[in-house]
Amino acid sequence: MCGIAGILRTAPTAAMRDEVSRMIGRVAHRGPDGEGIHVQDRVAIAHRRLSIIDLAGGGQPMSNEDGTVWITYNGELYNYRELRRELLAAGHVFRTQSDTETIVHAYEQWGADCVTRFRGMFAFAIVDYRQRQVFLARDHFGIKPLYYRVGDGYFGFASELPALREVDDAVPAGNIRAVDYFLRFGYIPDPETIYQDTFKLPPASRMTIAFDGQRTPAERYWQLEFQPDHSLDDVEWERLCEATIRESVEAHLVSDVPFGVFLSGGIDSTLVACLMSEILGPGVEAFSIGFDETPYSEIKYAEKAAKQCGIHLNAEIVKPDVQLVLELAQHYGEPFGDSSNLPTWYLSRLTHSQVPMVLSGDGGDEFFAGYHRYRWWMNSYLPPRELIHLARFPRNLALNPLRSSKIVGSVVGRSGIARRSVGWQESIRVFATVGYQRLWKPSFHEQLFPSAPTFHDAALTGERFDRLAFAQHVDINTYLPGDILTKVDRASMYHGLEVRTPLIDVEVAKLAATLPMNQRIRHCNGHGRVLKYLPKRLLEQRFSDDFVHRRKMGFGIPEHEWLCDDAALGHLVHDCLLRDQARIHELLDQREIAHIVASLAGNPKRRRMVWLLMIWGIWLDANPEVSFAPAGSVSHA
């Protein structure tokens, strides 16, 4: 696991080495074990290394034998040994035992199609001096990040957004569309970033930039297809599911350093921890965090899971820390509103004190249908009444819930695809559609978008799936990379900790995509409609019924308790939201903000709104040089 950066200039300068050195310096935390820079012709690339495989021979940037192909790479390939054997048989000569060199030779052998053969998490740039081009690629699910910035005569890329602020160019302009998305969803979905000239390379995508600056649009090289298989019975599905997940856990344990496991006590982390313990035997170290606020803490379940699995649990209690909130609000490079990044930061710090690599249970909710909102989605066939406002009708238009679906269908588009897309976005948004415009200054109203293109694209590719698979598909292509994986990557790499995700794996995903609906969600006597049915069946063989079928808690913090006036973060809310000089008032209405904050004490549901506003206010105050104009064109990736 590492940090990468690079820049291509159509007119190279003598300062490129210093430029890329500053860029890689901004991601030094991602790779505490070494740094490398290579500058040649029009391209400068750099690398910070966290040594996990081939500790002595895996330094980067790395080249092929004659120096015509160079790579800077972040990630791990779990099938690199199989690929290496295939490449050796094809005549390639290896100098190291690293997965990095496998990618170099795979690119030589198969070109851009090499990514279709990889199993793992990766984001890399290959400089091909024969073809005079740079090739970028990101893994199938977006586990590893890759940003790029486009300007006059240059193309820069990096693992994290702050590195691209080190490019020798003017301060980038703010992206109003990204702010709109952040306030709706709590994160900024790809390809957008908070800057107009900077973008995220989407998951499962690749692109090529020629030395003359010409670039191909980001191209998707893989898509998960949900195609239920009804040929197996319950017992056969249980056996196949356990075998597939067990094989993935074992594949993710390839390492030359010690490792552990995140253990929250939830279904997914417990299943991964159990299988890991069964594969490795005694001695597995598990890590968990909790809160003094008992309703938010799952430590007692983590303790029970650890005892049942025969592993040692290391636990820590998390308390509110104003300075950490301020620091993390900047560390992500753009506003990021998932408050569980705080406990993930503490969990990563605790874990890194003992091991440099860990497995997690992330991905189980998306691939096996574990979110509460899926139950709501299956029961709701009409979009909520607020959808009518997406058509920007006059405010005095009478709302009729019985007619709303017809009106929205005619305005947004007559296809069921559009209705599904908009309906799903409304089901997950933080600020309700009704009244959302009042939050913004009038000069920005015309720049608010009724639908996020990333969600609409996911809806288009998922429209042929069943209703539950549609929701899973959208989450896998939006929420998973944009929120969950972003949170874990930044919080863990802050401490130089590698997190591997055996449930977010190509082979596990292929299995999940074949599950009939009754293996994902099923009505069970005594439990009602059970989500994530199949993984729970696997745990029922190891744990009691009350452990497996308790109410899902998630990994959130006690937002309401921490944000109230007399709480630890109360004065921070006041400082960045209610203070007259706060920058947030340049974009958002001060009275509306004050109303939302004032209603927090009596309405805990407002906590997510206040948290997002607070993070946005902190980011704005810390970046006074970034301007957000109320009018003008919006850049596109």
Side-chain angles (χ1 to χ4, degrees), residues 350-499:
L350 171 66
T351 304
H352 185 256
S353 68
Q354 297 196 42
V355 296
M357 191 272 278
V358 69
L359 301 193
S360 86
D362 290 317
D365 287 319
E366 289 82 5
F367 290 108
F368 294 97
Y371 289 124
H372 288 307
R373 58 179 175 265
Y374 294 155
R375 186 183 286 113
W376 174 89
W377 179 249
M378 295 299 291
N379 291 333
S380 176
Y381 288 88
L382 288 177
R385 67 195 297 266
E386 289 90 344
L387 283 185
I388 194 171
H389 283 270
L390 293 177
R392 304 183 190 276
F393 282 109
R395 294 188 180 183
N396 61 357
L397 179 69
L399 293 178
N400 182 340
L402 298 178
R403 295 180 61 239
S404 64
S405 63
K406 294 181 180 179
I407 295 173
V408 171
S410 64
V411 172
V412 180
R414 294 185 179 275
S415 73
I417 303 170
R419 288 178 55 195
R420 271 188 174 187
S421 175
V422 177
W424 181 252
Q425 290 181 60
E426 289 305 298
S427 74
I428 63 174
R429 67 180 296 156
V430 178
F431 288 86
T433 304
V434 174
Y436 180 61
Q437 276 197 342
R438 292 198 304 268
L439 179 63
W440 286 81
K441 291 287 187 69
S443 56
F444 291 99
H445 285 179
E446 293 304 313
Q447 292 176 262
L448 304 183
F449 290 79
S451 178
T454 299
F455 284 84
H456 185 66
D457 291 347
L460 285 175
T461 54
E463 57 88 16
R464 60 191 178 279
F465 305 145
D466 66 55
R467 187 172 179 83
L468 179 57
F470 171 87
Q472 292 177 260
H473 173 81
V474 174
D475 267 348
I476 289 167
N477 285 279
T478 56
Y479 180 68
L480 182 62
D483 186 307
I484 299 298
L485 294 174
T486 298
K487 171 191 66 179
V488 174
D489 177 83
R490 302 307 186 281
S492 61
M493 294 308 295
Y494 183 107
H495 301 285
L497 174 72
E498 174 170 317
V499 178

